[in-house]
Amino acid sequence: MAEPKLSTYRAKRDFKVTAEPSGDHKVAPADRLRFVIQKHDATRLHYDFRLEHKGVMLSWAVTRGPSLDPADRRLAVEVEPHPLDYGDFEGCIPKGQYGGGTVMLWDRGYWAPEGMTVEEGLKAGDLKFTLDGERLQGSWVLVRMKNDREGGKRTNWLLIKHRDDHAVPGDADALLKDNAASIASGRTMEEIAAGKAPGPKPFITAAPKGSKTRGRAAAAAVWNSNRTDPEASSEAVAVKARSAKVAKGSTVKAIPAFVAPQLCCSVDRPPSGEAWAHEIKFDGYRMQLRVEGGKATLKTRKGLDWTHRFEEIAAEAAALPDCMIDGEAVALDGEGAPDFPALQAALSSGKTGGLVFYVFDLLFLRSEDLRALPLRDRKARLEALVDGEGADAGRLRFVEHFKTGGEAVLSSACRMHLEGIISKRLDAPYVSGRSDNWTKAKCRGGQEVVVAGWTSEGEGQLRSLIAGVHRDGRLVHVGRIGTGYSRSTVDQILPRLKAVETGKSPFEGPGAPQTAAGVHWVKPVLVAEIESGGWTGTGNLRQASFKALREDKPAEEVVQETVAPVETVEGKPQPRNSKASKAEPKPRAPGKKPTGNVVGGIALSNPDKVLWPPADGEPAHTKRDLALYYEAMAEAIMPHIRGRPCSIIRCPDGVGGQGFFQRHVGQGTSALVTSVTVWGDRKPYLQLDRPEALIAMAQTGALELHPWNCLPDQPEVPGRLVFDLDPGPEVPFEAVVAGAHEVRARLEAVGLEAFCKTTGGKGLHVVAKLAPEKAPPTWPEAKGFARDLSTAMAADRPDLYLVNMAKAKRAGRIFLDYLRNDRMATAVAPYSPRARSGAPVSWPLAWKDVKPGLDPKAFNLRTGPDLVGKNKAWADYDASARPLRAAIAKLGKKAAA
């Protein structure tokens, strides 16, 4: 009878988006009828009252929640029946879905009709019943309102407490205010919305008492389902050991004291396909849990015993049978996300009671060695173990995974400000050492560095840390870390620096910094976790920011991390029990032009592919050359494209082959690229927000960069004006130069500052930076201003200029292209290469150089990196921003005059 009753419920929901149960799961019957009350913060806050009947949950939405006062009658609107297993749902329904909002399990227990059958009570509109819940008890009644009883369309009822020993006259809402936490997880509505664990203990779907499969719902499942993220929710896959045949491992006499952990290789984006599972990357300490004879130990990735530092986790884990588990010790912030500095602070203060241990792999269980089993089987065994035989207090939390949709999972992780994701082959064994069976894709640049010293301007001060990494067996200098220090951070790390202070620099090789005033050297034994904007062409860090000191990794193992194309691991067959390579990839030495496939820590496929053949006296340029150009020019390019949707022109086979224009994020787009949604288009747009993304673009053959002309991170607000002077055939370049100066003069006459650059072709761009305004101009207003200025210029000299883009009319004249100033319109970025013969680039110019004799071909892929450091042409560009509305008003007055 359940199936037809759930048709309305199912029709209202998209189970590819929402994590609510579909009703397909068969729920074991119970000896007594069950009830559930869920607090539901949707369009408005209410309480969903659900009574089990014939395989479904009859449901009412109680607008103000139940009251223990018999005189306080609460409106209860009847809604569609829900599946039985809905009674265990706690989390968030995604926005845009029916009932979108936070759901809490507020009360649950058993119920029974009183003095009648359920059918009789429903038919009469007077259903009397008793409740035996954890918060509600005694006798109650649902009374259908009088005007709705005789076949009316409305389904309004009243929920009323009968007068008995459980009634509380005058209670009003005291019952609700005094019981604000979940009955199933102990969480508040805010904690559920933020993704805090532990998850709810099942009731409707719980196994009978005494069963080994009883326990709390997996915390990670709650995490995945409560973020209101359709992409992530649609991919969530629970590995259920209870419904699968249990795989057996080989027999061992004893569990070893320690096993070297399996490690990841870094890739530019997550692998795709059903062979892979994707997990959240936790920002904590990788630990190995070993339980033997009721005693638990926790060891670092190098085998150091840290049990004393995680006493509460060890105490809880001691209830498990003999086993060895791989996982990560984590501190959670106020939103339930991993917080590495908070973990460091907890360990430093000894206040570790709030730490949790996320478990993701099971190596041994009792007398079984499970390492040779496929990951899917190991995780199934682990879930049953953690959820069933211990960890009831919630410090041990099973890590659920996503079976498909790695790009969507990474996108969701990045939007939640997480570290990234780990992708693992479901059919692979557990192999110690580094292996491409496990990959990691990060949301932001991260690196471990060796602390070699610090700079200060006085006692008790820290201005920056001096960082290094190991290359070819030597510690080499990679820059300074100048941000990320709070006062408390300085107080914590300064004593540790002073404890290992030395009078000698630990660096070796050329380019090592020299001793100077305010520089303090330390023995190279401390490791720092940092965030950065990537690497420069000389091997130094960009925009490094301090996160915390690490204690779980030896300094001698710290090398520059390289990122490989995901194609190197996707679909690659893996022999079972194959030995993983422990060798770290070697980054290039500073100052050397690489001949390999790694640029800026990112590996290139087919780096010798010729993208520009020899022409116009220029040599051939390869994909490697393009990547090196982007690496060298990133600091100059990024201010003009960061925060703006950016279209690209891709020529995978070079300028002589087929090229195409790409604006949307597509399948296979690197995870280093930001995905941004703009109004009016469901498909996300490309956005290049960090230097590594430029090199990732080189990997795809992106020869040109065309950003929007909006303000950064405000696609609906114009941020600059671009006037494109496009000459027709036979127009001398001197005329284009003269036209650029005239556009400049007209812009300055209405209060705007003008700058000039080559286009990489025969024309010039004149650019004016716009200042943010309280009432910013719209795109039509920006376009209208550019049109009016260009039209006036063409009206004064129709023999030289025109605003009609038809090529037939352009002969002998310059087309003043104002159309670059519309929403979604683009212009080639400063310093961007062009897909044209000779590899020219769009180059910013000083006005004194915009004169006859200017040769745009002098600026190209070969010359650009050497010239950029000397180019101060646009040094005042950022300070030049002026409001457009004032310019529009001035132009209007000039036109009227």
Side-chain angles (χ1 to χ4, degrees):
M1 293 182 64
E3 184 65 26
K5 293 185 178 181
L6 292 177
S7 56
T8 301
Y9 169 86
R10 288 169 172 154
K12 291 182 177 180
R13 292 160 176 84
D14 183 356
F15 297 106
K16 293 181 180 179
V17 177
T18 180
E20 297 166 278
S22 64
D24 293 329
H25 180 70
K26 300 300 181 182
V27 177
D31 295 333
R32 302 168 64 187
L33 295 174
R34 294 159 288 196
F35 84 94
V36 169
I37 298 178
Q38 289 161 313
K39 189 175 181 179
H40 190 174
D41 190 6
T43 304
R44 58 182 62 84
L45 182 67
H46 63 278
Y47 291 72
D48 293 316
F49 184 59
R50 311 194 193 281
L51 301 175
E52 179 181 4
H53 179 60
K54 291 189 175 180
V56 297
M57 285 283 190
L58 304 179
S59 299
W60 290 261
V62 183
T63 54
R64 292 173 54 203
S67 173
L68 297 180
D69 186 353
D72 197 352
R73 303 181 175 193
R74 298 295 170 94
L75 177 65
V77 180
E78 185 180 359
V79 298
E80 73 276 9
H82 282 50
L84 282 181
D85 51 346
Y86 203 99
D88 283 340
F89 177 73
E90 180 170 282
C92 281
I93 302 170
K95 292 179 181 179
Q97 284 292 294
Y98 179 78
T102 307
V103 177
M104 170 199 284
L105 289 165
W106 185 82
D107 195 19
R108 58 191 183 184
Y110 300 93
W111 80 285
E114 191 174 26
M116 64 186 73
T117 65
V118 177
E119 286 80 1
E120 289 171 347
L122 293 174
K123 183 177 180 179
D126 187 10
L127 178 62
K128 298 180 178 66
F129 53 92
T130 57
L131 296 179
D132 181 13
E134 298 188 53
R135 288 174 175 162
L136 298 184
Q137 293 86 31
S139 181
W140 296 74
V141 64
L142 275 166
V143 180
R144 189 162 184 175
M145 297 181 72
K146 184 176 181 180
N147 292 338
D148 292 341
R149 290 192 183 188
E150 302 298 330
K153 294 183 179 180
R154 292 184 297 172
T155 53
N156 295 334
W157 300 62
L158 296 173
L159 176 64
I160 307 169
K161 179 73 185 76
H162 280 159
R163 297 184 184 276
D164 58 17
D165 293 341
H166 300 284
V168 182
D171 172 76
D173 293 324
L175 172 71
L176 307 178
K177 294 177 181 178
D178 294 341
N179 296 277
S182 166
I183 204 70
S185 67
R187 301 182 294 177
T188 63
M189 292 290 278
E190 293 75 16
E191 288 171 334
I192 295 170
K196 285 195 172 182
K201 292 183 179 179
F203 169 62
I204 302 293
T205 59
K209 291 183 178 180
S211 168
K212 292 184 178 181
T213 59
R214 288 176 62 80
R216 188 182 297 278
V222 177
W223 190 335
N224 294 335
S225 67
N226 64 10
R227 291 289 185 168
T228 66
D229 186 273
E231 292 179 299
S233 297
S234 67
E235 299 293 345
V237 176
V239 182
K240 297 299 180 183
R242 291 188 284 274
S243 61
K245 182 178 180 181
V246 176
K248 296 290 185 181
S250 59
T251 302
V252 294
K253 292 182 179 180
I255 297 175
F258 177 74
V259 170
Q262 181 158 344
L263 305 175
C264 302
C265 69
S266 295
V267 292
D268 59 353
R269 58 182 175 86
S272 59
E274 296 183 357
W276 294 86
H278 311 282
E279 301 172 350
I280 295 297
K281 184 181 186 300
F282 296 98
D283 196 6
Y285 276 141
R286 180 84 174 272
M287 304 297 294
Q288 190 173 100
L289 170 65
R290 183 180 184 273
V291 181
E292 183 178 30
K295 180 182 178 181
T297 57
L298 287 155
K299 294 184 177 180
T300 68
R301 56 189 288 170
K302 299 302 292 184
L304 299 177
D305 192 333
W306 277 17
T307 309
H308 63 286
R309 309 192 73 178
F310 300 99
E311 292 180 349
E312 294 86 356
I313 292 174
E316 182 171 314
L320 295 171
D322 291 2
C323 62
M324 181 179 284
I325 296 175
D326 198 351
E328 190 112 351
V330 174
L332 302 177
D333 64 14
E335 296 184 354
D339 187 337
F340 188 72
L343 174 62
Q344 291 283 66
L347 294 174
S348 177
S349 66
K351 298 178 180 179
T352 55
L355 302 183
V356 296
F357 187 54
Y358 282 101
V359 299
F360 47 72
D361 215 325
L362 181 62
L363 282 63
F364 292 85
L365 180 59
R366 299 185 178 89
S367 61
E368 288 182 79
D369 181 351
L370 307 178
R371 289 177 294 173
L373 296 181
L375 173 65
R376 61 168 59 87
D377 294 334
R378 300 197 307 273
K379 289 200 69 173
R381 298 285 295 274
L382 177 62
E383 182 186 19
L385 173 68
V386 174
D387 280 349
E389 299 191 40
D392 220 20
R395 287 192 179 91
L396 301 190
R397 305 184 183 178
F398 175 75
V399 178
E400 296 274 4
H401 64 255
F402 306 93
K403 192 174 179 182
T404 58
E407 290 283 355
V409 180
L410 179 62
S411 177
S412 299
C414 296
R415 284 197 295 272
M416 291 185 275
H417 306 291
L418 300 175
E419 277 283 290
I421 66 172
I422 305 294
S423 303
K424 303 175 180 179
R425 293 183 186 274
L426 283 166
D427 62 350
Y430 189 98
V431 181
S432 296
R434 199 167 302 281
S435 165
D436 55 15
N437 284 341
W438 289 13
T439 70
K440 60 182 174 184
K442 293 184 177 181
C443 293
R444 51 189 181 271
Q447 172 73 37
E448 293 159 353
V449 296
V450 178
V451 179
W454 84 94
T455 65
S456 67
E457 296 178 345
E459 185 65 25
Q461 294 185 356
L462 188 152
R463 184 175 181 181
S464 64
L465 290 179
I466 304 172
V469 297
H470 287 96
R471 290 178 181 151
D472 299 322
R474 299 185 301 181
L475 183 67
V476 297
H477 177 248
V478 295
R480 297 186 179 185
I481 310 164
T483 61
Y485 309 106
S486 65
R487 183 68 252 177
S488 61
T489 301
V490 173
D491 292 342
Q492 289 176 10
I493 65 177
L494 257 183
R496 299 191 61 183
L497 293 169
K498 292 180 178 180
V500 292
E501 188 173 2
T502 181
K504 181 182 178 182
S505 168
F507 291 121
E508 300 178 68
Q514 303 299 314
T515 300
V519 173
H520 307 264
W521 302 114
V522 300
K523 298 176 183 178
V525 295
L526 300 177
V527 177
E529 177 90 7
I530 67 167
E531 290 183 1
S532 78
W535 298 88
T536 68
T538 57
N540 285 339
L541 290 163
R542 285 193 183 97
Q543 304 169 348
S545 176
F546 179 80
K547 287 180 64 178
L549 292 178
R550 296 197 73 99
E551 301 178 55
D552 60 335
K553 186 169 185 177
E556 58 267 21
E557 292 187 5
V558 174
V559 297
Q560 180 179 331
E561 186 173 301
T562 59
V563 180
V566 74
E567 290 83 2
T568 62
V569 301
E570 276 184 326
K572 182 179 178 181
Q574 295 295 311
R576 293 176 65 84
N577 296 319
S578 61
K579 292 184 178 180
S581 171
K582 297 183 180 180
E584 295 280 356
K586 293 182 178 180
R588 64 186 176 95
K592 289 185 179 181
K593 183 174 180 178
T595 56
N597 68 335
V598 177
V599 175
I602 297 175
L604 306 175
S605 62
N606 199 6
D608 295 317
K609 176 79 173 181
V610 173
L611 300 179
W612 286 271
D616 300 328
E618 286 298 314
H621 294 289
T622 65
K623 181 188 289 188
R624 183 190 296 108
D625 294 329
L626 176 61
L628 287 170
Y629 177 85
Y630 280 146
E631 181 188 37
M633 304 295 291
E635 190 171 347
I637 294 174
M638 291 310 299
H640 301 287
I641 64 174
R642 183 184 285 116
R644 301 174 176 91
C646 185
S647 301
I648 59 175
I649 293 180
R650 291 177 58 189
C651 301
D653 295 321
V655 296
Q658 184 176 3
F660 58 93
F661 188 82
Q662 180 180 344
R663 64 175 58 176
H664 294 114
V665 174
Q667 186 175 5
T669 301
S670 170
L672 298 169
V673 174
T674 303
S675 173
V676 61
T677 302
V678 300
W679 178 82
D681 197 332
R682 294 183 179 181
K683 295 182 179 180
Y685 275 61
L686 297 164
Q687 189 165 293
L688 309 178
D689 289 337
R690 47 185 171 170
E692 300 97 322
L694 287 175
I695 303 175
M697 290 296 95
Q699 163 64 17
T700 69
L703 273 53
E704 298 190 10
L705 309 172
H706 292 256
W708 283 24
N709 292 312
C710 59
L711 286 176
D713 301 311
Q714 299 184 59
E716 303 307 321
V717 180
R720 59 192 171 212
L721 299 174
V722 177
F723 295 83
D724 182 3
L725 286 82
D726 186 1
E730 301 178 356
V731 174
F733 190 67
E734 288 76 7
V736 182
V737 167
H741 280 282
E742 183 169 350
V743 174
R744 177 194 185 191
R746 289 176 181 264
L747 287 172
E748 290 181 346
V750 293
L752 297 178
E753 295 289 325
F755 294 79
C756 189
K757 68 182 181 74
T758 68
T759 64
K762 297 180 180 180
L764 291 173
H765 282 172
V766 179
V767 183
K769 186 176 175 65
L770 303 179
E773 302 182 57
K774 288 185 178 180
T778 63
W779 282 111
E781 288 173 320
K783 179 182 176 182
F785 171 85
R787 180 194 61 232
D788 292 345
L789 187 145
S790 300
T791 301
M793 187 170 164
D796 289 345
R797 291 297 306 271
D799 58 322
L800 290 180
Y801 310 113
L802 79 162
V803 292
N804 189 320
M805 66 186 301
K807 287 188 177 182
K809 298 181 179 181
R810 203 180 304 181
R813 292 188 288 178
I814 298 171
F815 171 44
L816 301 177
D817 185 357
Y818 62 85
L819 300 174
R820 308 283 180 181
N821 304 290
D822 206 351
R823 181 181 183 271
M824 302 179 76
T826 65
V828 67
Y831 305 105
S832 170
R834 300 305 302 268
R836 298 177 180 179
S837 176
V841 300
S842 177
W843 195 259
L845 300 166
W847 279 109
K848 65 181 180 62
D849 296 323
V850 185
K851 60 185 180 180
L854 171 66
D855 182 10
K857 294 181 180 180
F859 311 107
N860 53 55
L861 207 73
R862 176 181 55 84
T863 61
D866 292 330
L867 294 174
V868 68
K870 306 171 187 176
N871 188 14
K872 307 298 180 185
W874 284 28
D876 299 327
Y877 177 75
D878 285 339
S880 73
R882 299 289 186 271
L884 179 58
R885 288 205 177 279
I888 292 174
K890 288 183 180 180
L891 185 64
K893 290 180 180 179
K894 289 173 68 69

